[in-house]
Amino acid sequence: MSTTLASSPNSTVATQPQANYRRHVLDLDDFSRDEIGEILETTASMKEVLNRPIKQVPALRGKTVVNMFFEDSTRTRISFELAARALSANVVTMSARGSSVEKGESLLDTMRTLQALGADIIVMRHRESGAPYLVAQHFLGSVLNAGDGRHAHPTQALLDLFTIQERLGRIEGLKVVIVGDIVHSRVARSNLWGLTTMGAHVTLCAPTTLLGPAAFWTATWPKVTITTDLDECVRDADVIMTLRLQKERQESGLLPSLREYSRFFGVNAARVACAAPHCLVMHPGPMNEGVEITPDVATSAQSVIETQVTNGVAVRMALLYRLAEH
Ligand code: NCD
């Protein structure tokens, strides 16, 4: 499939025999290394499509993708819209604000309405962990989780994996430090599944109040290293992934001050200098510059933050394509 897409501008991947793909993408916890590898390969083909003068293939022509965004988002929402359009799908985006949700309509009623209107794929972001799982139990089409509460964000993890592989040529054996607000982060959790499945060594670094249950991390991912010492753990790191402080999900009193947080847990040039010379600096965005990352590091040659955003469209195309083919 991927060669067809890449080699012929007029090819329609929809004419390929039906592959045995999964119906929903809710998290990466049930993905094998092979399946992630296939998705990264399809993503490379999709990226090639996006580099053409006409960034569109007809793979999802006649399919309807509904983006249900019940939580604020810029890059993920626009990225999904562009991805669905690049595959020639009909795309509609709805938000809770301004919809019948404000009149008290339940999540399942909203889903049934979208189903009756012909939605084939629902892309869903919700502030409650588990909401896309509920919809997936009842919706007759496919559900793609675009971030649920503090639980999972599979497309972010896949675009991070793709970016690492693209830049460093592999994921297996790399030392990846994830630093910041781990306890509130769906990005950290999905990346833990993805990175460990692909054979990376992951270190979680956070103040204890933002680390969450260390025993849970080590029970679920036995090989993960946990530390509160960023200076120590960035040594020889191949990737430093910093996370946004999720102020909207925090109770008060978790941090003495932002200044102290950035002193001990901020990614700055001195810390990056202790990592491997090829070390990538990543951030899922949106950034609190000057808090979790300094502006000079965010725009440095080692930062791949914009590449992550660009690669997000290709990853989402790959997933929408696979769901449409399930
Ligand atoms: C992340 C999210 O919304 O979970 N951002 C994103 O999708 N690009 C991370 C965050 O909000 O901190």
Side-chain angles (χ1 to χ4, degrees):
M1 183 285 301
S2 47
T3 28
T4 324
L5 247 191
S7 54
S8 157
N10 300 317
S11 63
T12 158
V13 281
T15 58
Q16 298 291 308
Q18 292 279 304
N20 194 17
Y21 295 144
R22 65 176 56 242
R23 179 156 152 224
H24 307 294
V25 175
L26 300 172
D27 196 1
L28 297 189
D29 53 351
D30 58 348
F31 277 66
S32 66
R33 188 186 277 222
D34 283 352
E35 189 175 5
I36 292 179
E38 273 177 33
I39 292 167
L40 300 186
E41 249 177 60
T42 311
T43 300
S45 305
M46 296 302 179
K47 194 161 175 180
E48 186 272 331
V49 168
L50 294 172
N51 286 330
R52 294 177 190 171
I54 296 173
K55 307 173 182 34
Q56 204 169 40
V57 284
L60 263 71
R61 186 177 286 157
K63 299 271 183 192
T64 300
V65 176
V66 179
N67 292 326
M68 266 175 117
F69 272 66
F70 287 3
E71 195 190 72
D72 294 344
S73 166
T74 311
R75 69 208 78 215
T76 307
R77 182 174 52 79
I78 292 174
S79 182
F80 267 112
E81 282 181 19
L82 291 173
R85 292 216 168 97
L87 294 170
S88 309
N90 301 321
V91 194
V92 220
T93 297
M94 67 162 292
S95 58
R97 231 168 294 148
S99 77
S100 296
V101 174
E102 292 202 324
K103 298 182 187 163
E105 187 175 63
S106 77
L107 184 57
L108 288 184
D109 282 341
T110 306
M111 178 279 287
R112 283 191 200 102
T113 303
L114 298 174
Q115 187 165 275
L117 288 167
D120 296 296
I121 299 177
I122 289 179
V123 175
M124 188 174 170
R125 169 166 287 202
H126 205 283
R127 67 176 63 247
E128 298 297 334
S129 299
Y133 288 71
L134 175 69
V135 170
Q137 276 170 18
H138 298 272
F139 181 51
L140 298 174
S142 293
V143 177
L144 215 169
N145 184 1
D148 62 324
R150 51 168 91 174
H151 173 247
H153 196 349
T155 60
Q156 180 69 42
L158 287 167
L159 74 88
D160 291 340
L161 292 175
F162 182 80
T163 305
I164 294 170
Q165 178 156 294
E166 184 182 54
R167 287 299 177 106
L168 300 181
R170 69 189 166 105
I171 300 166
E172 173 143 37
L174 296 182
K175 177 176 177 184
V176 181
V177 173
I178 305 182
V179 52
D181 189 356
I182 311 262
V183 72
H184 299 105
S185 176
R186 53 195 177 207
V187 175
R189 253 172 282 274
S190 288
N191 259 302
L192 270 163
W193 286 119
L195 286 164
T196 53
T197 300
M198 299 310 279
H201 304 295
V202 182
T203 299
L204 299 179
C205 179
T208 29
T209 49
L210 295 183
L211 181 63
F216 169 76
W217 302 129
T218 45
T220 315
W221 296 280
K223 293 193 182 142
V224 162
T225 306
I226 293 177
T227 179
T228 52
D229 188 344
L230 184 59
D231 289 314
E232 217 276 315
C233 74
V234 289
R235 257 187 253 149
D236 301 325
D238 299 294
V239 177
I240 302 173
M241 187 182 287
T242 177
L243 302 170
R244 184 176 66 87
L245 265 188
Q246 309 266 309
K247 291 186 202 131
E248 74 276 25
R249 286 184 239 283
Q250 285 183 20
E251 315 90 66
S252 60
L254 293 180
L255 293 172
S257 75
L258 288 184
R259 220 157 114 211
E260 188 174 306
Y261 176 78
S262 75
R263 190 166 140 228
F264 289 106
F265 296 96
V267 175
N268 58 30
R271 290 187 167 126
V272 176
C274 297
H278 57 256
C279 179
L280 306 179
V281 177
M282 308 181 82
H283 192 303
M287 285 183 278
N288 297 305
E289 281 192 13
V291 179
E292 65 254 0
I293 189 166
T294 54
D296 58 323
V297 170
T299 53
S300 69
Q302 280 170 272
S303 161
V304 289
I305 297 169
E306 281 179 25
T307 310
Q308 288 172 268
V309 177
T310 305
N311 287 342
V313 181
V315 157
R316 289 168 178 128
M317 284 171 75
L319 290 174
L320 288 171
Y321 168 68
R322 288 171 72 96
L323 292 185
E325 288 286 289
H326 87 267

